[in-house]
């Protein structure tokens, strides 16, 4: 993988000139990550667009986020947590 | 868009039973967002995999992240910032 | 404020040597921020300690965080949001 | 610690009415955390104020943050990282 015979890994092989360094490999990793990050950015924008579209149709963005979060949660665990929170709220006199 | 003739938007139309509510529209928005979020999660995992692969090949994950960040930055702005940081470091006796 | 008569502000006065630069002022700002950040770090640790103490006494950390969050929220707004979330949950068949 | 003789911990003792629950203890933990969080919020605001004051005096907020970050880092580790980043930049033809 390395042009020279030094045993050190490319990443920490500071002394050696770049020539002896796995340039193509690094380039491939960097470009793969950049492509994936671009795709991810596009999806993030798409999600924002759907939220805006929903809002334009009269839906509440905050409530939408809340329901999406609830739908991801384990129902039993959430019920357990809600029960404890209710108990704490009663003990503290905090209105839920 | 709504079954009943109430003028209120679906989102804040609390009094009205769900039946008068744009269920299908809500369902479509929620499912679209969930699909996009799943795709985004998959990409996040892919990016993590590429970083792990790079590390397994001897590359430094922290340095990779740093170079990816630098490649996204506007070169002129970064040089300007670096010059000011160097000036501050000199003034404070902080070694860069 | 500056030793020399240059009109540029100290921050972007790159050409001029540090000597002409408001060192003491910079030093004061940096040290003030560092002191405040240290105090903030100590408070963050204290908060963590109280959570650990509560957990050691049988309290549920997640429920504690939830109740602390609820107590910070505006009650009316939260009730409004909860009502919309319930309506969306009914429409989607999601069990709360 | 608990009024009743149930062996379960207060936090997960859902069935039992709040009366048997360590209310005062919960209240003390919640109020301690709220006080600490208030102090922390005040410090966060103070830090923001110092940054604004520095900016009003011509200092660059981004450069200030950068120098504060550098001053927190372990110098040797940072130099090591910088050297690897430089090597990667040279290999990729990325200008630092």
């Amino acid at each position: 993988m390395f042009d020279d015979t030094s045993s050190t890994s490319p990443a920490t092989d500071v002394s050696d000139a770049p020539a002896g360094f796995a340039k193509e490999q690094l380039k491939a990793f960097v470009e793969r990550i950049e492509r994936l990050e671009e795709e991810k950015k596009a999806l993030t924008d798409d999600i924002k667009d759907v939220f805006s579209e929903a809002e334009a149709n009269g839906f509440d963005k905050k409530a939408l986020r809340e329901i999406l979060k609830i739908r991801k949660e384990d129902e039993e665990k959430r019920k357990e947590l809600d029960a404890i929170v209710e108990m704490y709220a009663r003990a503290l006199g905090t209105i839920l």
Side-chain angles (χ1 to χ4, degrees), chain A residues 51 61-75 78 81-82:
Chain A
F51 269 108
K61 282 214 277 195
K62 234 179 148 188
L64 262 179
R65 265 195 214 94
E66 192 65 24
I67 204 85
L68 285 158
K69 191 173 135 252
I70 288 168
R71 285 165 62 100
K72 275 187 220 148
E73 288 170 351
D74 173 281
E75 205 182 298
R78 185 163 45 76
L81 179 65
D82 287 351

Side-chain angles (χ1 to χ4, degrees), chain A residues 24-40:
Chain A
E24 289 317 310
Q25 209 183 10
L26 173 65
K27 210 155 162 268
F29 282 128
V30 165
E31 283 166 2
R32 268 169 73 191
I33 292 170
E34 284 176 339
R35 253 194 325 275
L36 289 167
E37 283 185 341
E38 245 164 67
E39 283 178 47
K40 194 176 157 183

Side-chain angles (χ1 to χ4, degrees), chain A residues 10-23:
Chain A
T12 51
D13 178 356
V14 175
S15 57
D16 196 9
F21 181 70
K23 278 189 207 172

